Amino acid sequence: MAAPTSTVDLAAALITAPVPIGHWLVILPVAHCITLGAVLLMLRNHPRLQAWLAISGLAMLALIDAALLAKVSAEGPLTMVMGRWLPPFGIAFTVDLLGALMAFTAALVALAAGIYALADIGESGRRYGFFPLLMLLMAGVSGAFLTGDVFNLYVWFEVLLISSFGLIILGSERQQIDGALKYAVLNLIATTLFLIGVGILYAAFGTLNMADIAARAKDLRGTAPLMTLASLFLLAFGMKAAAFPVNFWLPAAYHTPRIVVSALFAGLLTKVGIYALIRVMVMLLPVERQELSLVIALAAAATIVVGALGALAENDIRRLFGYVVISGIGNMLAGVALGGPGGGPGGGIDGVSGAVFYALHSMVLMTALYLAAGEIARRGGGFLLSELGGLYRQSGAFAALSLVLFLAACGLPPFSGFWPKVILVKASLDLGDWWLAAVILVGGFLTTIAFGRLFLLAYWRPAPVELMPSEARWRTGLPLAALTALTIGFGILPEQLLALSQSAAAGLADPAAYLHSVFPGDAR
Amino acid sequence: MEPLLAILVGLFFAAAIYLMLSKFTISIMLGIAILGNAVNLLLFTSGRLTRGVPPIIPAGLDALPAGTANPLPQALILTAIVISFSFLAFLLVLTYRAYQDLGTDDTSEMRAAEPDDRPLPPLGY
């Protein structure tokens, strides 16, 4: 075998011992989702039962992820190895603070979408397998957040990708088929690029365990083509996350599926790309990230501007929100470009923690925005800005709720979008990248104009035809209100989340605890 | 052996990219099929090619002897083949369905989701 000799005690790695009970929590979110997905598939002739089982299952998933987050934030990273074949042989699931935070937020978002789906997905959608696909999507998303192995990350990407294919064509309308074709082909090419990266990574390192790679990267820097690898990963994950210039699949596809599917995709899928980018660039290849930081920063700036301008030019609110998703991705990329701790004299305020905070905020907010778009269409009778009107007069409460979401998306205080933007702007000013700070602020300004016009036209403008009073329904109102409350909570009480995302970023920049969790007793 | 396979992988990639640049969906699908195989070959080559001993630990030893083949790339390829094959099957069905529904296999005419004449949002109040 050509792999470099390892300092791991190989004899000890072959001794199997039972896994401590607490560590099962690491794999439980994925196992739970796959099992429930299979059970739901068997219940396809019982749409009602299926829906309720799925929702209680998603609530269960949120509880599991909350327990995992509590355990990880108290005890540091946790590792479980399949079959107790210790690394670097076995496939490891390693959860650190970043993974646990993302997985927990994803579970909350999926729960909200599941409840909304009660109203949005009819019987035929359930028979076509909305709920099983939702569970399998969550299996893919959780797996991607929790795994500690690069090839496994690829496999979870594929799991969530194929579930998302099923979800995006739910309904089989012409538009959906067109959007799904573009979505499917471009995302498949992105994952294939990722797989190429994995192949070269294996050739260079002889291992696919993330902790092992992080530990070995500095020895191999002179000999292995690590810059090529970093660029490949940047392109692949950038495509997944819809960063400029590989973002065109997103506005082509995200407005076609059912609104709850759009909400799930906008909330989760692009963030998985950002998560993988943070994991690989910041933790595994930090020096290469530093070298590429100008490229990432330029891509980030272009993404912010393209997203904001696209949002300004859109008439369909779903497509408008799609561009807002893209612009948010630009902000997260800016955080990746700015890098880890030590960014500023203030200490602790750094780009990666801003990116993590922004990703968590964006997961909640984008889902809420698309759910709100569904409500707008139900109340106002369509998605087109040119035809909407009179929503404020119809329901002041819904208008207020939407305004909160819009302001949060623009990054205005006191809502959740404000703090990550403050962190990012401060980090870029500390590093002397004043132009990046300017782009982030201008992007926020342009988004504010887009949302201001949306509010003006859809809410304040008198309705062309008198709108029927439309009572709130708990199935759509409850998840929307819950996500909005979360947005307000993030904005008013940011300390907890700020501390968590800062220690997540610190854990990425100095992965000693992560390594120790995978290789206990190893001196590295 | 490795340089030969590397050249083959390069040829596969070139053919795949050429086909994927086409505007007809069926050529794109063929390109994706070739791309999948190119990546599998790349994974295979990346594990180093040895004509050595199968990776079985002989009786009485507790580690592999030197010069054994590396089983991991084959496991990786097996996974990747299954995944890319299922994706290709799905995409072919999707392409056929798109051809039926949209009446064209020319991607520049597939404008159902993004019509050419989309109106701008209202410019005045």
Side-chain angles (χ1 to χ4, degrees):
Chain A
M1 189 167 148
T5 50
S6 164
T7 54
V8 180
D9 181 6
L10 297 185
L14 293 173
I15 295 167
T16 57
V19 178
I21 294 291
H23 286 195
W24 283 95
L25 210 50
V26 173
I27 187 82
L28 203 54
V30 179
H32 171 75
C33 288
I34 293 181
T35 317
L36 204 62
V39 171
L40 290 176
L41 207 58
M42 291 184 249
L43 290 177
R44 66 188 287 264
N45 288 328
H46 306 276
R48 277 188 73 82
L49 178 66
Q50 199 190 32
W52 288 107
L53 195 61
I55 287 168
S56 42
L58 286 168
M60 186 72 195
L61 176 68
L63 286 180
I64 296 172
D65 279 329
L68 187 60
L69 178 60
K71 198 167 164 64
V72 169
S73 59
E75 298 174 16
L78 282 179
T79 299
M80 179 177 170
V81 189
M82 302 304 120
R84 197 65 179 165
W85 284 78
L86 293 185
F89 297 117
I91 296 169
F93 262 58
T94 307
V95 192
D96 64 350
L97 204 49
L98 176 64
L101 271 173
M102 301 285 271
F104 177 54
T105 319
L108 289 183
V109 161
L111 178 60
I115 297 174
Y116 194 95
L118 284 177
D120 193 43
I121 301 291
E123 178 139 344
S124 76
R126 291 182 199 181
R127 280 184 184 274
Y128 279 119
F130 173 78
F131 285 108
L133 286 171
L134 172 61
M135 292 313 293
L136 293 176
L137 182 81
M138 283 316 291
V141 170
S142 315
F145 287 150
L146 304 182
T147 185
D149 182 287
V150 180
F151 191 76
N152 245 266
L153 184 62
Y154 161 75
V155 174
W156 293 120
F157 262 89
E158 299 285 27
V159 169
L160 72 89
L161 197 58
I162 200 140
S163 324
S164 73
F165 288 172
L167 287 173
I168 201 169
I169 51 168
L170 209 70
S172 329
E173 293 156 21
R174 282 184 76 222
Q175 267 204 0
Q176 289 179 331
I177 300 229
D178 186 19
L181 190 63
K182 290 162 190 171
Y183 172 84
V185 169
L186 289 174
N187 271 284
L188 187 57
I189 292 174
T191 22
T192 310
L193 277 173
F194 176 30
L195 186 56
I196 297 170
V198 173
I200 303 178
L201 194 72
Y202 182 68
F205 286 85
T207 177
L208 289 166
N209 187 298
M210 287 186 194
D212 215 9
I213 292 170
R216 280 189 201 175
K218 48 183 167 305
D219 307 334
L220 283 172
R221 205 142 266 141
T223 52
L226 295 191
M227 274 306 278
T228 312
L229 263 176
S231 317
L232 255 176
F233 282 130
L234 178 63
L235 178 61
F237 295 139
M239 202 159 165
K240 280 274 160 201
F244 184 83
V246 278
N247 60 350
F248 294 101
W249 57 269
L250 193 150
Y254 270 25
H255 65 295
T256 56
R258 306 306 305 251
I259 201 76
V260 59
V261 175
S262 296
L264 268 173
F265 283 15
L268 300 180
L269 298 193
T270 46
K271 272 53 149 197
V272 180
I274 284 288
Y275 165 82
L277 192 66
I278 293 178
R279 174 70 74 201
V280 168
M281 299 297 274
V282 178
M283 190 175 105
L284 302 189
L285 304 166
V287 176
E288 286 69 26
R289 186 208 61 76
Q290 188 68 35
E291 296 277 314
L292 282 171
S293 69
L294 183 64
V295 178
I296 306 176
L298 287 173
T303 312
I304 294 173
V305 172
V306 163
L309 290 178
L312 270 177
E314 266 317 320
N315 190 22
D316 184 325
I317 50 174
R318 289 170 301 175
R319 282 176 61 91
L320 195 159
F321 290 164
Y323 280 108
V324 175
V325 172
I326 293 178
S327 157
I329 291 298
N331 284 307
M332 290 170 233
L333 273 183
V336 177
L338 292 168
I349 297 284
D350 60 80
V352 176
S353 76
V356 172
F357 198 142
Y358 203 104
L360 299 175
H361 137 81
S362 175
M363 281 164 111
V364 173
L365 179 75
M366 292 307 161
T367 309
L369 273 181
Y370 271 95
L371 297 186
E375 271 298 83
I376 292 175
R378 183 174 73 86
R379 289 163 182 272
F383 289 105
L384 296 182
L385 272 186
S386 49
E387 290 163 11
L388 283 166
L391 287 169
Y392 181 76
R393 172 165 297 210
Q394 189 202 38
S395 165
F398 175 62
L401 191 148
S402 316
L403 189 62
V404 169
L405 294 177
F406 295 170
L407 293 181
C410 306
L412 295 176
F415 305 112
S416 65
F418 177 63
W419 297 107
K421 277 203 178 155
V422 169
I423 300 174
L424 290 173
V425 169
K426 172 136 186 2
S428 47
L429 288 178
D430 283 346
L431 285 180
D433 286 335
W434 55 269
W435 59 273
L436 195 56
V439 169
I440 293 172
L441 293 175
V442 168
F445 178 63
L446 292 176
T447 318
T448 314
I449 298 180
F451 275 112
R453 194 177 52 187
L454 168 58
F455 199 75
L456 199 68
L457 290 172
Y459 289 78
W460 276 348
R461 186 169 60 163
V465 286
E466 193 56 44
L467 291 181
M468 291 294 116
S470 169
E471 74 281 16
R473 298 181 299 177
W474 72 268
R475 286 169 180 165
T476 54
L478 178 72
L480 194 54
L483 291 178
T484 314
L486 213 53
T487 308
I488 300 174
F490 279 8
I492 295 177
L493 304 165
E495 295 90 357
Q496 187 73 30
L497 199 58
L498 199 61
L500 282 174
S501 52
Q502 273 175 6
S503 45
L508 288 172
D510 178 20
Y514 192 96
L515 298 193
H516 181 75
S517 141
V518 181
F519 299 109
D522 196 9
R524 281 185 294 187
Chain B
M1 193 67 181
E2 269 117 355
L4 214 64
L5 269 175
I7 293 169
L8 186 65
V9 170
L11 284 176
F12 267 49
F13 272 121
I17 291 169
Y18 174 75
L19 283 170
M20 287 194 301
L21 288 175
S22 160
K23 63 177 180 177
F24 296 104
T25 46
I26 194 70
S27 315
I28 299 175
M29 292 309 133
L30 290 174
I32 287 175
I34 296 178
L35 185 70
N37 285 301
V39 177
N40 290 338
L41 269 179
L42 184 134
L43 274 176
F44 188 55
T45 320
S46 73
R48 312 292 194 280
L49 303 172
T50 42
R51 220 181 260 199
V53 199
I56 298 169
I57 302 177
L61 287 179
D62 60 355
L64 282 174
T68 45
N70 184 357
L72 188 67
Q74 312 198 9
L76 300 185
I77 294 169
L78 189 59
T79 317
I81 287 176
V82 173
I83 292 174
S84 64
F85 176 71
S86 63
F87 270 121
L88 189 67
F90 175 84
L91 279 179
L92 284 174
V93 174
L94 186 64
T95 315
Y96 184 58
R97 182 66 196 268
Y99 175 66
Q100 280 182 327
D101 274 17
L102 307 173
T104 176
D105 67 341
D106 182 344
T107 44
S108 57
E109 285 171 22
M110 289 188 172
R111 312 284 313 179
E114 298 177 286
D116 278 326
D117 51 349
R118 275 177 301 128
L120 284 173
L123 299 175
Y125 182 73

